[in-house]
Amino acid sequence: KDIKARLTKTRQEESDRAFEDAAVDAAAKNMTVEIPACMIDEQVDRQMEQFGYQLQMQGMKMEDYAKMMGGDVNSMRNAFRPAAEKAEQTVRTSLLLEAVAEAEKIEVLDEEVEEELKKMADQYQMELEKVKAAVSTDSVREELKTRKAAKFIAENAKAVEEKPAKKTTKKKAAEAPAEEAPAAEAEAEKE
């Protein structure tokens, strides 16, 4: 019974996360926004910060890691840039979540930040004070705020069932004469 309950809970959490991700992705794709260059820089900063936290949890500094890899922090930053530029969806999602958090006046209490820091300490089997020294409370607060914004979107999203594409439509377009094929494809897309 215990195993069944845990599996059921795990599946429900995965399903909830998948729905939340899909709702946020759909909202971000529907946004009409021009991505400013500074947003790409912010994404690079976040990636660097997260990587720095991972290194700190392992007892290593970013500068030491960069030297060990034969470079410096600037070369590491440049290595993160292409991924950040390709991750336009991530930037769009960040803009969306920030806008939702602001519009809905989403706040994060000090107690919530403290609880998240405790979770991190447990996860990495570290003393709470060491985690507090290594992790910026402002970044934890912002992360929690974006999580709340994503949850808000999911709670207000309406699930719709996707209709499978009609295979016969593509076949009809392929069988049409060459000059009619584009029109048949366009008609199929309207359906």
Side-chain angles (χ1 to χ4, degrees), residues 117-158:
L117 290 169
K118 286 177 184 175
K119 285 180 187 176
M120 291 171 79
D122 290 344
Q123 180 183 358
Y124 293 107
Q125 298 175 350
M126 294 178 65
E127 294 175 20
L128 180 59
E129 294 308 314
K130 287 185 178 180
V131 172
K132 285 181 178 181
V135 178
S136 161
T137 56
D138 289 339
S139 65
V140 171
R141 185 176 306 279
E142 287 304 309
E143 173 65 24
L144 290 172
K145 190 182 285 189
T146 58
R147 283 189 211 163
K148 283 184 172 187
K151 187 174 182 180
F152 176 85
I153 291 170
E155 288 171 350
N156 291 283
K158 290 184 174 74

Side-chain angles (χ1 to χ4, degrees), residues 87-133:
E88 180 181 340
Q89 182 67 19
T90 302
V91 174
R92 293 176 70 81
T93 300
S94 294
L95 282 172
L96 170 72
L97 295 175
E98 287 174 22
V100 168
E102 184 177 326
E104 296 301 322
K105 297 176 179 43
I106 294 173
E107 296 294 327
V108 176
L109 303 173
D110 292 340
E111 296 81 22
E112 293 171 302
V113 172
E114 185 73 18
E115 183 62 31
E116 185 65 18
L117 290 169
K118 286 177 184 175
K119 285 180 187 176
M120 291 171 79
D122 290 344
Q123 180 183 358
Y124 293 107
Q125 298 175 350
M126 294 178 65
E127 294 175 20
L128 180 59
E129 294 308 314
K130 287 185 178 180
V131 172
K132 285 181 178 181

